[in-house]
Amino acid sequence: MNVKLFQYEGFFELNANTYVLYDESECVVIDSGKNNNDVVDFINANHLKLNGILLTHGHFDHIQGLPALLKAFDVPVFIHKDDECMLGDSHLNGSNRFSRTDIYYDGDVNTFTDGEIFHLLKSPIEVIATPFHTKGSVCFYLKDNKILFTGDSLFSEGIGRTDFPYAIPELEHHSLYKLTKLDKDITIYPGHGDSCSLREANPEAYL
């Protein structure tokens, strides 16, 4: 399994990461941080079939690239059921904090819940709900490949903020505790910043 990182440093992108997760011929996109054709061009250049877009949560810096992707590919968008309401609401998705009301998604969406398994690639992708940064924040876990996409739940040097609308600070401990039970040698790919091992990210430090 391969991971291609696209990292965007513009003012409205907030250094958010977009990932293409792919095997020999198929791929999924995890989060979509910039509305340009970088990801589209990569997928086409590598002759990959895009099977879906998985969102770790509903903040604007992780969804604002959806228009470019969906213009190029007719694929489903997936988000936890508790963050679906954020997609079309500039207050909940945070874009209004930057005086933007045009960053939203009002198209079709497929919702999921904790523990669901996606079979979009050769390896299964498990949903681990980690609500606190948002009510519907999740991680995507590929146990067979020792890969964990953590969104804004866990970074290489910190965890997600809980002072935004729709955050649930009281669930922080419970959510991070779930991550401490995973293999410490797995690689985490966060929503911002660099990848590292789960051991290096050390979620125990925030309990």
Side-chain angles (χ1 to χ4, degrees):
M1 196 64 65
N2 305 286
V3 179
K4 171 65 176 179
L5 165 66
F6 294 84
Q7 193 168 47
Y8 298 111
E9 300 180 354
F11 178 75
F12 290 112
E13 287 74 34
L14 302 182
N15 299 318
N17 294 337
T18 295
Y19 297 100
V20 179
L21 174 67
Y22 63 104
D23 51 35
E24 292 87 348
S25 60
E26 299 180 295
C27 68
V28 297
V29 170
I30 297 177
D31 291 339
S32 185
K34 189 175 180 67
N35 194 33
N36 65 14
N37 285 321
D38 289 352
V39 175
V40 173
D41 291 344
F42 175 83
I43 291 171
N44 288 333
N46 287 275
H47 309 289
L48 299 171
K49 177 188 176 186
L50 179 61
N51 290 332
I53 302 167
L54 302 176
L55 302 176
T56 60
H57 63 295
H59 278 146
F60 79 94
D61 51 322
H62 297 262
I63 69 170
Q64 62 183 333
L66 290 176
L69 282 171
L70 295 173
K71 181 179 179 180
F73 306 107
D74 182 16
V75 295
V77 177
F78 299 91
I79 193 167
H80 191 281
K81 67 178 182 65
D82 289 336
D83 270 15
E84 180 183 7
C85 61
M86 299 179 69
L87 297 178
D89 188 318
S90 63
H91 174 68
L92 291 180
N93 72 35
S95 58
N96 71 330
R97 293 168 64 96
F98 294 83
S99 300
R100 296 287 295 271
T101 59
D102 60 330
I103 301 177
Y104 61 89
Y105 174 68
D106 59 2
D108 293 335
V109 66
N110 297 268
T111 60
F112 56 77
T113 57
D114 187 27
E116 289 196 29
I117 306 291
F118 291 108
H119 297 281
L120 299 171
L121 302 174
K122 290 185 176 179
S123 294
I125 303 171
E126 178 184 354
V127 174
I128 300 176
T130 51
F132 70 91
H133 180 64
T134 68
K135 188 176 181 181
S137 286
V138 303
C139 299
F140 295 116
Y141 184 34
L142 285 81
K143 183 176 182 180
D144 294 345
N145 304 95
K146 302 180 76 171
I147 291 173
L148 183 71
F149 294 92
T150 55
D152 286 5
S153 295
L154 181 67
F155 308 121
S156 61
E157 298 181 348
I159 60 175
R161 294 171 58 173
T162 57
D163 58 340
F164 293 139
Y166 213 57
I168 310 180
E170 59 269 25
L171 293 181
E172 178 182 304
H173 183 281
H174 173 73
S175 294
L176 293 173
Y177 180 76
K178 292 166 71 173
L179 300 184
T180 69
K181 299 304 179 181
L182 302 179
D183 184 342
K184 299 298 186 295
D185 291 328
I186 65 177
T187 300
I188 74 159
Y189 293 92
H192 302 267
D194 298 326
S195 61
C196 67
S197 71
L198 184 61
R199 177 178 290 104
E200 292 169 322
N202 192 22
E204 288 91 347
Y206 308 103
L207 299 179

